[in-house]
Amino acid sequence: MKLQEARQQFISSWGAFGTHWGINRTMAQIHALLLTSAEPLTQDDMMEELNISRGNVNMNIRELIHWGLAERILLPGERKEYFTAEKNMWKVIRLIARERKKRELEPMLELLNKLEEVEGDRREKQVKAFTETIQDIKKIGNKVDKTLDLMIRAEENWFLGRVWRLLIDKKTEK
Amino acid sequence: MKLQEARQQFISSWGAFGTHWGINRTMAQIHALLLTSAEPLTQDDMMEELNISRGNVNMNIRELIHWGLAERILLPGERKEYFTAEKNMWKVIRLIARERKKRELEPMLELLNKLEEVEGDRREKQVKAFTETIQDIKKIGNKVDKTLDLMIRAEENWFLGRVWRLLIDKKTEK
DNA sequence: CTATACTTTCAAGAAATATTGAAAATTTAC
DNA sequence: GTAAATTTTCAATATTTCTTGAAAGTATAG
């Protein structure tokens, strides 16, 4: 397979993949484009490569920057802005985890805390079913929350070495 | 807060939460409704509680069943079908992990394997940038894949006891 | 077998979400 | 300062995704 074809396929799939994860197609495609580019790109480059409008590029590149996944670069003597992506994949994962935790997990945990204190006799079937489910979800949610905290703050090697090895390597399995 | 209000809030947020995770709003709401119901419900119950059409209930309850998250129950002497949700939250998480792995992770890994073998001199800047990114993603993807396999097969206690404790408990932190 | 209760399907319509492109804003060069 | 280059905004439009509801399908009782 030729480089250009491979790259096109990667960009297109990364985009589709993104839509399953609440990240919009174009944002994911720009990310894929930058991830596989040896050089920084301008907004015009991206418009051309992805066949999308200037406004679309602009909005999505800014969103990527907001997530910490892309960076604006000013080349000396150049008037245009250039952009690159964070290429360290562990860092990429941590940045995504950080953002999604903030947007999705934390608000949910806040809500669960409120809902836990529902009025009514816990001996009533309906009240019991409700509070038990809420508490179970909360327990798991809190664990995920702490795990993500640890991961987000973690050094790449700590995470790789300590956790992954435990989970995966043959040696450590019983 | 009254039970009915709390339940409404939970259903509505669970639905919104779902949309961020590639699960449609109604499917997530039906799931929330069943999770917090002491008794099995009929399609008509769900139509009324969620104010949605019969067709919508039917399609989404079948999808929940396909994921393993809900179950059809036939009560003796009753002609209507009743439905319940799996209430064990660890099992719920494993079921969701299994389904999403199959739909999202596995196809991506398959693609990455193909893309890794791009033609061209690895000393070329562009080729190098591309293959390095692909390989990095592949490495992480494979690890996630193995971890999910382990988790999907895992007994609740194994997972809870062994992994979570290592990740989270004070004692095991350096 | 027939009538009735119930479930499933799917084309059309509604709602949600993403994209465009042109105008406004900003930055830089001189 | 002004003009040219570039970036940003956002209302209008296009696209994608979800929902409806009525017709077709299936199962059960008698």
Side-chain angles (χ1 to χ4, degrees):
Chain A
M1 194 185 295
K2 291 270 191 325
L3 178 63
Q4 264 327 100
E5 189 196 346
R7 221 171 144 201
Q8 268 316 122
Q9 276 202 32
F10 175 64
I11 289 167
S12 143
S13 312
W14 199 245
F17 195 71
T19 61
H20 292 296
W21 285 86
I23 289 161
N24 99 19
R25 179 184 259 78
T26 303
M27 179 171 155
Q29 287 186 348
I30 292 177
H31 190 213
L33 183 67
L34 290 176
L35 275 176
T36 54
S37 171
E39 311 286 355
L41 302 178
T42 63
Q43 295 196 171
D44 290 87
D45 294 335
M46 301 180 212
M47 285 169 67
E48 187 171 348
E49 292 267 6
L50 303 176
N51 280 295
I52 56 179
S53 70
R54 181 175 306 285
N56 201 2
V57 170
N58 189 273
M59 290 173 110
N60 287 110
I61 188 77
R62 278 185 305 114
E63 189 67 8
L64 282 170
I65 289 169
H66 179 252
W67 284 53
L69 295 170
E71 190 183 9
R72 193 177 309 237
I73 291 193
L74 293 170
L75 297 184
E78 290 268 15
R79 190 134 162 201
K80 278 190 181 174
E81 296 173 337
Y82 284 75
F83 300 89
T84 47
E86 169 60 53
K87 294 257 174 55
N88 177 328
M89 280 296 153
W90 281 104
K91 205 165 175 189
V92 167
I93 285 191
R94 290 207 300 275
L95 290 168
I96 292 174
R98 182 183 70 181
E99 197 65 22
R100 304 203 62 153
K101 170 169 137 64
K102 191 168 71 195
R103 293 180 182 213
E104 293 153 29
L105 186 57
E106 288 170 8
M108 175 55 74
L109 288 175
E110 233 170 275
L111 179 74
L112 292 172
N113 281 326
K114 272 200 324 199
L115 298 184
E116 202 178 16
E117 285 150 33
V118 67
E119 290 168 29
D121 191 338
R122 295 260 340 238
R123 282 164 303 185
E124 272 179 61
K125 242 183 173 178
Q126 287 294 336
V127 175
K128 192 157 171 273
F130 181 78
T131 50
E132 273 178 5
T133 294
I134 296 296
Q135 280 168 3
D136 284 357
I137 296 175
K138 226 186 92 175
K139 262 184 222 155
I140 294 181
N142 278 326
K143 284 186 175 170
V144 172
D145 190 56
K146 283 183 193 163
T147 305
L148 288 176
D149 271 343
L150 213 55
M151 181 182 136
I152 289 164
R153 278 188 267 103
E155 285 307 309
E156 180 175 342
N157 286 338
W158 180 91
F159 198 54
L160 259 170
R162 195 149 172 69
V163 182
W164 252 210
R165 197 164 300 143
L166 176 84
L167 280 168
I168 287 155
D169 280 6
K170 295 269 155 52
K171 282 184 215 167
T172 55
E173 276 182 40
K174 274 282 153 60
Chain B
M1 194 185 293
K2 293 269 191 325
L3 179 63
Q4 264 328 100
E5 189 196 347
R7 223 171 142 202
Q8 267 317 121
Q9 276 203 33
F10 175 63
I11 288 167
S12 142
S13 310
W14 200 245
F17 194 71
T19 61
H20 291 295
W21 286 84
I23 289 162
N24 99 17
R25 180 183 258 77
T26 303
M27 178 170 157
Q29 287 187 348
I30 293 177
H31 191 212
L33 184 66
L34 291 175
L35 274 177
T36 54
S37 172
E39 311 285 355
L41 302 177
T42 64
Q43 293 197 173
D44 290 270
D45 295 335
M46 300 179 212
M47 285 168 68
E48 188 171 347
E49 292 267 7
L50 303 176
N51 281 294
I52 56 179
S53 71
R54 183 175 305 285
N56 202 2
V57 170
N58 189 273
M59 290 175 111
N60 285 109
I61 189 76
R62 278 184 306 113
E63 189 67 7
L64 282 170
I65 289 169
H66 179 252
W67 285 53
L69 295 170
E71 188 184 9
R72 194 177 308 237
I73 290 193
L74 293 171
L75 297 184
E78 290 265 17
R79 195 137 159 199
K80 278 188 180 172
E81 295 174 337
Y82 285 76
F83 300 90
T84 46
E86 169 61 54
K87 294 260 175 51
N88 178 327
M89 280 297 152
W90 281 103
K91 206 163 172 191
V92 167
I93 285 190
R94 290 207 300 274
L95 290 167
I96 292 174
R98 182 184 69 181
E99 196 66 22
R100 303 203 65 153
K101 171 170 139 63
K102 191 168 70 196
R103 293 178 182 216
E104 292 154 29
L105 187 55
E106 287 170 9
M108 175 55 73
L109 289 176
E110 232 170 276
L111 179 74
L112 292 173
N113 281 326
K114 271 200 326 200
L115 298 184
E116 204 179 13
E117 284 150 35
V118 67
E119 291 168 27
D121 191 339
R122 296 263 337 241
R123 281 165 304 185
E124 271 178 60
K125 242 183 174 180
Q126 287 294 335
V127 175
K128 191 157 172 273
F130 181 79
T131 50
E132 274 179 3
T133 294
I134 296 296
Q135 280 168 2
D136 284 356
I137 296 175
K138 227 186 90 174
K139 261 185 225 157
I140 295 181
N142 279 326
K143 286 187 173 169
V144 172
D145 189 55
K146 283 184 193 163
T147 306
L148 287 176
D149 271 343
L150 213 55
M151 180 181 136
I152 288 164
R153 280 190 263 101
E155 286 308 307
E156 181 176 342
N157 287 337
W158 182 90
F159 199 54
L160 257 170
R162 193 146 172 71
V163 182
W164 251 213
R165 197 164 300 141
L166 176 85
L167 280 169
I168 287 156
D169 281 5
K170 295 268 155 52
K171 282 182 212 166
T172 56
E173 277 181 40
K174 274 284 155 57

